[in-house]
Amino acid sequence: MRSLLSILGVLELVSSATIELNWDIGYVNANPDGLFTRRVIGVNGKWPIDPIIGSIGDRVIVHAHNSLDVKTSLHGHGLPFKNTQIYDGAVSVNHCGIPPGYNYTYTLDLPESGTYWFHSHSMGQYPDGLRTPLLVKDETEPVFYKYSDDFLLTLSDWYHTPASVLMETMIGPLNPGGSEPTPESGILNDGRGGEFRVTPGETYRIRLINTSTMAVWHVSVDEHDMTLIEVDGVHIQPKKLNSIELSPAQRASFLITAKDTADMNYYIHAQMDPDYFDVVPDTLQLDYTASLLYNDGTTFAPASKHSWDTVSDLDLVPLHELPYQEPEETHVLVSDIMQMDDGSARGLINGVTFVPPKVPTILSMLTTGDLATNPEIYGPQSNPVVLGLNKTVRVVIANKHLDAHPFHVHGHKFQVLALDEGEYDPSKPVSAHLTQNPSRRDTVNVPGFGHAVIQFYTDNPGAWPVHCHNNWHMMFGMMAVFIEAPLQLQKTLAFPFDTHNDICGAAGFMMSGNAAGNEGLDLTGAPYGPRMIDYGFHAKGIIALVFCIISAILGTASIIYYSRALIKAFDAQQAEQRSLLVTGDSDELSEDES
Ligand SMILES: *[C@@H]1O[C@H](CO)[C@@H](O)[C@H](O)[C@H]1NC(C)=O
Ligand SMILES: *[C@@H]1O[C@H](CO)[C@@H](O)[C@H](O)[C@H]1NC(C)=O
Ligand SMILES: *[C@@H]1O[C@H](CO)[C@@H](O)[C@H](O)[C@H]1NC(C)=O
Ligand SMILES: [Cu+2]
C-alpha cells in the first residue's frame, strides 16, 4: 500500500491500467419511474448505462459508435483533460461531435480520485439518458476513512418528453420569460434503486451524483449522522451534517456508520426542492427513498423529521492545501436571461447568447497564428475570454437574474473566494479564512441576483467552456469560453489530429480559420444573433466595454473601477428593458421566478 494519499496531494502511481470500452450509442425504451415508457439514449442496447469505474492513474478508452439519427458527443465532467484537450467533447468548443453512423475514440485520463460522470455534451442529450457515473477509486481511501464498502446513489429529475422537444417550447414565442419545463418525476440510480446492505458497526461511503437537468436534491438518512468528505472530486476536512443539498455540490461523498444492532432497516430520503421549479403540479412526487438494509426479516424505522442543512461552499476546506494567490488577471461574466430581438428567451453572458461558431474554438486557436490571442476571431456569439499562461486568474460571475445558476468550468477545479446574494463589491477583501486554503470544486451554484468569485491557475492550455449546468440554461446560450494560453497550445498540441478529420466535415464544421472559417479578421458569415433588443440604449458601448475588460490585463484599481461600471451599466440597461417588456399580458418575467 502507498504510504501517502493522493488526496493529500502526494501522488505515487504504483500501476496504471487501460480500460477499453466499446459503446454503441443508440435508442432504447425504458420506464425508470414506472409511470411511462419512453425512448431514451442507451449504450449497447441497454439503459441505464453501466458506470465506468477506474483507479487513480488509469486511462479509459471509449470506442464510441453513433447509432442515433442525430450528432452526439461525450464529456468526462470534472476531468482535467490536460494534454488531451480534444477529448473533452464539448461540441463547437473542442469537438465537432460524432455524426450519425460514425465512430470516434475518446481517451480519458484519470489523474485524480473522486466522483465524476460521463455525459453527452451535445444538444441536451443527457436528460434523455446519455450519462453514467465515472468513479475514480484510490485503494488507500477505504483505509484512510475506514469504510468497508463504497455505494453509489445518483439523483435525477425525469421528463417524459425528449429534451429537444421541450427546448423548442422553451425558446418559443409563448415563453418570453424562459420558464423551464417541470419534470414528471425523480429517479434514484436511474430507477427506483438504492438498496444498500450494511453490517452493524461498519462504516460506509455513499457517493451522490446529481445528474438532474434542473432539480436540486436534499438527501438525509434516518437516525444516522452523515459526514461529508468529498465534493466534486475534492477531498475535504470531514463535516458532520443532517442532510446534504446537492445543487452546489453536484457530486458529494459522505460516510455513515451503521448502528450496533440489526433490529431495524432505515430509509435514505431524497427530496427534490420545489422552490426551484417554476410550476409544481399536484401529480409531481417530490420525495423518494433508498434504503439501508440491516436485516431482510425486519421492518423500517419510521421516517424521522429532518431539517435541510445547507453548507456554504466557502466553508469546505480541502485536505490537499492549495494556498491563495493574488490574482494576476480579472474577468467579469455577467449572466442573465432575457427575451431577444427574435422573440425567444435566451441565456446571456455579458449581453451575448452563445451560438456555435463555424469552426470549433480549439481549431481556431490552433490555426490562426498570432491572431489567436485576439478575442474577435472567435466570433460575435462565442463569449471568448482570452487567458494568459501560468497566471492566477480571477473570474467574477455576477448573476442578474432571480434563478440560481450552477456554473461549471471545464479543464479546472477552481477556488471559490466569494459566494453570496447581492452585488459583488470589488473593494471588499477576500475573507480572512479563505486566504490560506480556499475551497475548491468544479461547479458553483451562483445565487439568484448574487455573485461568485472564483480563481484558478492557467496551467492547462485549451478551449474551456464555462457554462450554467442547468441544462435548459446552457442549451439556450448561457455559456462563455476560456481561451487559455492559445500560443502555448499551438506549441504543444500537434495539429491536424487525425481523430477529428473524419468527423468534422460530416458534422457540419470547418476545421480552420476564425469563427466564420475565414482568415484574419474577416468574420463575414460568422453566426450572428439573436441579439438583445436594442431600445436605443447604448448596448453596443457596453459590449465594447466588456471586450475591453476581458482583453486587458488589469491592475487592481482599474478592475474595481471597471467591474463596478460594467455591472452598473448592465443594471441600468436591463431595468430599462424589463420595464419595456412587462407590458399588458406579459407578466411572465416575474412569474417564472417564483
Ligand atoms: C465502428 O464501430 C462499430 C461498432 O463498434 C464497428 O463494428 C465498426 O467496425 C466501426 N467502424 C469503423 C470504420 O471503425
Ligand atoms: C509555465 O509553467 C510550466 C510548469 O510550471 C513551466 O514548465 C513553464 O516553463 C512555464 N512557462 C512560462 C512561459 O512561464
Ligand atoms: C444539479 O443541481 C442543479 C441545481 O442547482 C441543477 O440546475 C443542475 O442542472 C443539476 N445537475 C447537473 C448535472 O448539474
Ligand atoms: Cu442557469
Side-chain angles (χ1 to χ4, degrees), residues 122-198:
S122 179
M123 291 319 288
Q125 292 167 348
Y126 83 77
D128 291 341
L130 187 48
R131 59 178 190 222
T132 198
L134 168 56
L135 310 183
V136 186
K137 300 208 170 178
D138 175 341
E139 59 172 24
T140 67
E141 287 173 17
V143 182
F144 180 75
Y145 290 117
K146 305 186 177 63
Y147 58 81
S148 50
D149 210 344
D150 187 344
F151 300 129
L152 174 64
L153 185 63
T154 67
L155 308 142
S156 187
D157 45 21
W158 189 245
Y159 292 84
H160 291 167
T161 307
S164 54
V165 176
L166 295 171
M167 188 62 199
E168 261 173 48
T169 313
M170 200 175 119
I171 60 169
L174 300 177
N175 193 25
S179 270
E180 306 87 0
T182 306
E184 270 79 20
S185 61
I187 50 179
L188 305 184
N189 282 351
D190 284 332
R192 291 280 167 262
E195 283 202 338
F196 306 126
R197 288 194 175 274
V198 299

Side-chain angles (χ1 to χ4, degrees), residues 338-350:
M338 301 210 78
Q339 190 185 15
M340 309 303 278
D341 58 4
D342 66 349
S344 66
R346 301 283 169 159
L348 306 175
I349 304 264
N350 295 347

